Amino acid sequence: MNDKPAGPILAGVIGAVLGGLSFLFLKNVVSMTTPLNILSIRFTIAFLVIALLVLSNAVKIQYYNKPILPLILFSTIHPVLAFLLQTYGMKYTTSSEAGVITALVPIIVMILASVLLKERTTITQKTSIMLSVGGVTYITLMKGLETDGNLVGITLIVLSALSMALYTVLIREIAKQFTAMEITFAMMGIGMVIFNILLFLSPERVDYSMLLNTSFLFSILYLAIISSLLGAMLKNYAYARMKASQAGVFMNLATIVSIIAGVFILNEPFYSYHLIGSMLIILGVVGVHLQRVNLKRFF
């Protein structure tokens, strides 16, 4: 916990970038197979990779004499509940409604951290969090808020946002007993087991043939290894070393990354509201962490 401030912040930013880019690859695979197939394959590959690293002694994990049950419950909240609720929530609501609700995660984090961890935030930090949330909400509203979603979809997205917020709040407590690598190993393992069980029990047809599709394979490898595994390592490391309210705003950085990637890779249009909203998000992230960074010790 004695890391220089730049380390966790940089890890949080990189984790947000990887998460933002994941939307590009997810777009490429959602039309090829079912959500549970994607999740099961994604987390199976992620777990096999980290298991290989453990077996080769490239990384160290040690669960002996440690409280495993809280770690299992934590890993069930995120990624299992968060991903499932979000995936199926998107089936019953619109992307714009989901975007607005998910943007509220930093506010939910701030409230939960205040209640559960007794964290206190300054006026500057509260204002910065609101700026970040406002930036995402502004972009979403300017794109046009669709209203075709129903109560079921909205409820699932709200519960997904709550799961993400709980992960951000609880990570510091879990990190008191486990390393970032041990947490990541559990998250990938629990995700693999539960998503595969749900897939085999569901009416969705188990279909691994998509792995023979080059486009699908490339995208799922990014989602599994880079976004899920590496992204989780970075976020677990970063979030465990900062206040929950500070960690929460990194989620909204993914919005900026997805916009930039869409413009330069998918040739999507870029409007002035994208720029204004992105500036609000950046100002919010900087404002939340401004007091954390002592420039004399930054490097």
Side-chain angles (χ1 to χ4, degrees):
M1 294 294 179
N2 295 321
D3 303 78
K4 293 180 180 180
I9 292 174
L10 182 60
V13 170
I14 296 174
V17 170
L18 298 181
L21 290 174
S22 70
F23 290 110
L24 293 178
F25 296 92
L26 193 56
K27 282 182 180 180
N28 191 43
V29 299
V30 290
S31 61
M32 297 184 185
T33 188
T34 64
L36 274 178
N37 268 293
I38 294 171
L39 289 172
S40 66
I41 294 173
R42 178 175 179 173
F43 279 87
T44 297
I45 293 174
F47 179 74
L48 291 176
V49 171
I50 194 171
L52 183 62
L53 292 175
V54 172
L55 290 173
S56 63
N57 290 319
V59 299
K60 305 291 184 181
I61 60 170
Q62 176 57 263
Y63 293 122
Y64 183 69
N65 276 343
K66 293 184 178 181
I68 299 299
L69 182 57
L71 181 62
I72 292 175
L73 294 175
F74 173 81
S75 301
T76 302
I77 292 173
H78 192 285
V80 177
L81 283 179
F83 276 64
L84 273 178
L85 291 167
Q86 185 181 62
T87 300
Y88 285 96
M90 290 298 295
K91 290 181 63 175
Y92 302 106
T93 190
T94 63
S95 58
S96 57
E97 288 172 329
V100 170
I101 295 169
T102 304
L104 299 177
V105 168
I107 294 179
I108 302 173
V109 168
M110 183 172 62
I111 295 171
L112 289 177
S114 175
V115 174
L116 299 178
L117 304 179
K118 308 303 179 185
E119 282 189 4
R120 295 293 177 261
T121 51
T122 65
I123 295 298
T124 300
Q125 289 173 327
K126 287 184 175 69
T127 303
S128 298
I129 290 171
M130 296 303 295
L131 277 176
S132 174
V133 171
V136 178
T137 305
Y138 176 71
I139 291 172
T140 305
L141 292 177
M142 290 301 292
K143 287 171 64 177
L145 183 61
E146 305 162 69
T147 56
D148 295 330
N150 61 31
L151 184 58
V152 172
I154 291 173
T155 300
L156 291 175
I157 295 297
V158 169
L159 291 174
S160 172
L162 182 59
S163 299
M164 294 177 190
L166 278 172
Y167 156 73
T168 309
V169 171
L170 296 177
I171 182 69
R172 290 196 67 171
E173 293 301 310
I174 295 295
K176 292 177 180 178
Q177 299 287 339
F178 299 93
T179 66
M181 195 61 66
E182 289 167 348
I183 297 171
T184 304
F185 185 86
M187 289 171 65
M188 299 304 108
I190 297 298
M192 178 192 70
V193 171
I194 295 182
F195 288 135
N196 275 287
I197 289 175
L198 290 176
L199 174 61
F200 279 94
L201 293 177
S202 76
E204 294 184 16
R205 185 171 66 89
V206 179
D207 183 13
Y208 296 141
S209 65
M210 296 309 304
L211 291 171
L212 300 176
N213 182 308
T214 304
S215 177
F216 179 89
L217 180 62
F218 177 76
S219 296
I220 204 69
L221 286 176
Y222 177 89
L223 291 170
I225 301 172
I226 306 300
S227 179
S228 293
L229 182 54
L230 181 57
M233 289 179 185
L234 290 167
K235 287 184 285 187
N236 288 339
Y237 163 78
Y239 293 2
R241 288 162 171 78
M242 60 181 69
K243 287 184 176 181
S245 55
Q246 293 175 317
V249 295
F250 282 113
M251 295 185 185
N252 286 342
L253 277 180
T255 300
I256 300 177
V257 176
S258 63
I259 290 171
I260 294 174
V263 171
F264 288 99
I265 298 177
L266 301 180
N267 295 316
E268 294 178 349
F270 184 82
Y271 300 107
S272 59
Y273 63 79
H274 287 131
L275 178 61
I276 296 171
S278 297
M279 289 176 63
L280 289 174
I281 294 171
I282 293 172
L283 285 173
V285 174
V286 171
V288 166
H289 291 276
L290 195 60
Q291 294 178 339
R292 176 182 171 84
V293 179
N294 183 334
L295 294 179
K296 292 180 180 179
R297 299 188 300 111
F298 194 85
F299 299 101

